[in-house]
Amino acid sequence: MKLLVFSVREDERPAIKAWEERNGIEVTQVTVPLTLENIEQVNGYDGICIQQRIDIIEERIYEKLKEFGIKQISLRTAGYDIIDLEFAKKYQLKVTNVPAYSPTSVAELVVMQALRLIRNNPIVEDNMSRGDFRWGGMIAKEINTLTVGIIGAGKIGGTAARLFKALGAHVIGYDPVQIEDLKDTLTYMNSQKEVLEKADIVSLHVPLDGKTKHLIDAEALKLMKPDAYLINAARGPVIDVEAMIQALEKKAIAGAALDTLPNEQYFFNHDLSGKELPGKNLEKLMHMNNVLITPHIGFYTTVAVQNMVDSALGSARDIIQTGKSENEVSK
Ligand code: NAD
């Protein structure tokens, strides 16, 4: 069996090599994403594995894959919105994702940012960068005195809840699907509204879909306490960023930590040093000393990268060998 892996990053190479040796399956690594222009290179392989931002929208790509005898498209990511599932079905291509590569990876980032916010760390660092080492007025709160509100208590939200609980926080949450095992960790509220009203730290872990776009809008922000913090490590459009900036400017909330932002494909993981930042909102947020921004690095740990590679290549192998994979997302 021969697999072709697209968009390989340097940090993935050792994980891919290790999988190849463990499984005795030949794996070719290329750094380019899969496009119509370079699809001919798939000819001669048994399967493909991808991870890319460029949508695969051209029907011809799916048709070509079928022509080459390919039976699957394996994604090394949780999201699979870059794939046209109808075309995949039409050309009998089974699509797989990596549903959970390391919830702890994202949850640990969230806990770190929550602690930094409540210690006034961004303000302290901002002052110190200007040579101001005073701490008067920056008395911090301890996490064990606070209520953390998790909106979307699935794999990542549930893991974050457990970490916060272990630090002594009171954890509440809202999720239409309640998990029995989590009930010792977090107290489920009946609505998102209750979480927003009660929490000192609100952390968002919902998927982005038609219903969760701008889940946190001006009205939702009004429900939060003025000394509460907002954390988003889900997807940028879950927050109405304009409304959040207004709330931060009016001091209607105390601060925010954002690992995801709308239109992040234009700046996250790009070197824009010395260049103008795209968009006024990003510019504003970058200059707020009560806002922490990370460039969508929640997923980026050694454990998560190894798991992504193992799971994605394993799914490709399973579909080729047995026609089935537990990670199939195609209709
Ligand atoms: P999951 O499916 O396990 O959990 C999502 C939960 O949200 C589910 O329990 C679902 O019932 C709940 N939910 C859906 N709509 C809701 C709503 N309106 N209000 C409250 N709860 C709602 O997914 P997960 O693995 O925990 O991932 C959550 C999100 O984290 C992903 O969809 C993705 O957007 C994001 N993510 C970010 C990174 C990163 O690097 N920052 C990495 C992986 C995933």
Side-chain angles (χ1 to χ4, degrees):
M1 186 189 303
K2 279 168 68 182
L3 303 180
L4 180 58
V5 184
F6 286 90
S7 308
V8 174
R9 297 186 312 259
E10 272 312 306
D11 55 88
E12 292 180 302
R13 290 190 183 281
I16 296 174
K17 201 81 210 142
W19 187 90
E20 184 178 19
E21 282 164 13
R22 267 200 322 275
N23 288 272
I25 290 173
E26 194 182 323
V27 183
T28 304
Q29 308 182 24
V30 293
T31 53
V32 291
L34 173 66
T35 61
L36 192 52
E37 285 68 45
N38 65 27
I39 194 149
E40 292 299 327
Q41 63 188 308
V42 176
N43 203 357
Y45 285 91
D46 302 297
I48 59 166
C49 179
I50 63 169
Q51 61 101 2
Q52 61 193 58
R53 293 216 181 87
I54 304 167
D55 291 348
I56 303 184
I57 42 176
E58 300 94 335
E59 181 170 0
R60 187 81 185 114
I61 293 189
Y62 300 85
E63 197 181 2
K64 275 272 182 192
L65 290 174
K66 184 169 164 57
E67 265 172 49
F68 297 150
I70 298 291
K71 304 223 164 1
Q72 51 66 242
I73 302 173
S74 166
L75 290 119
R76 306 201 287 294
T77 51
Y80 49 90
D81 40 297
I82 60 159
I83 298 288
D84 186 315
L85 291 177
E86 293 301 327
F87 286 153
K89 189 178 173 192
K90 183 169 172 189
Y91 296 99
Q92 290 110 46
L93 295 160
K94 293 196 167 168
V95 180
T96 56
N97 74 339
V98 182
Y101 31 87
S102 174
T104 307
S105 169
V106 185
E108 283 190 1
L109 179 84
V110 165
V111 171
M112 176 186 84
Q113 297 297 60
L115 292 174
R116 289 183 71 201
L117 286 171
I118 63 172
R119 299 306 295 222
N120 299 308
N121 195 257
I123 302 172
V124 171
E125 281 184 4
D126 185 43
N127 289 350
M128 283 174 54
S129 70
R130 288 180 278 99
D132 181 352
F133 293 85
R134 293 173 301 170
W135 40 257
M138 277 183 289
I139 191 159
K141 288 173 184 155
E142 295 183 18
I143 193 81
N144 57 71
T145 66
L146 300 180
T147 297
V148 176
I150 304 283
I151 298 182
K155 291 183 284 294
I156 296 173
T159 306
R162 289 195 174 93
L163 295 179
F164 280 118
K165 174 85 172 177
L167 291 170
H170 173 53
V171 187
I172 60 174
Y174 172 68
D175 193 312
V177 182
Q178 301 197 355
I179 299 171
E180 212 45 48
D181 277 3
L182 261 186
K183 289 188 177 166
D184 288 345
T185 303
L186 67 75
T187 310
Y188 281 106
M189 300 286 116
N190 291 321
S191 65
Q192 171 180 299
K193 179 171 178 280
E194 266 182 273
V195 175
L196 292 171
E197 283 170 349
K198 289 186 176 146
D200 302 297
I201 298 167
V202 172
S203 194
L204 307 173
H205 299 285
V206 294
L208 176 62
D209 57 30
K211 289 190 197 138
T212 57
K213 183 170 180 214
H214 289 187
L215 189 69
I216 304 301
D217 58 7
E219 289 309 305
L221 287 156
K222 273 188 208 149
L223 299 170
M224 288 178 65
K225 303 185 203 178
D227 57 353
Y229 295 97
L230 180 62
I231 300 182
N232 186 11
R235 285 290 179 267
V238 170
I239 298 181
D240 177 346
V241 169
E242 302 254 347
M244 182 189 64
I245 289 174
Q246 281 181 25
L248 286 161
E249 284 173 343
K250 283 191 299 198
K251 303 206 181 310
I253 60 170
L258 311 164
D259 189 46
T260 52
L261 279 169
N263 303 317
E264 63 186 41
Q265 67 273 28
Y266 301 115
F267 42 94
F268 283 174
N269 211 16
H270 292 277
D271 181 4
L272 299 181
S273 21
K275 296 189 189 136
E276 205 178 307
L277 291 178
K280 277 201 196 95
N281 288 342
L282 177 65
E283 182 87 41
K284 274 189 190 168
L285 289 168
M286 291 286 289
H287 287 102
M288 288 183 170
N289 69 359
N290 53 350
V291 174
L292 291 165
I293 297 180
T294 44
H296 204 142
I297 52 167
F299 80 99
Y300 197 46
T301 63
T302 49
V303 171
V305 169
Q306 182 75 57
N307 288 346
M308 279 167 156
V309 164
D310 287 352
S311 169
L313 292 179
S315 298
R317 177 202 56 210
D318 292 348
I319 300 255
I320 295 163
Q321 283 179 343
T322 68
K324 283 189 289 197
S325 159
E326 56 181 11
N327 298 327
E328 203 182 316
V329 294
S330 24
K331 290 177 200 163

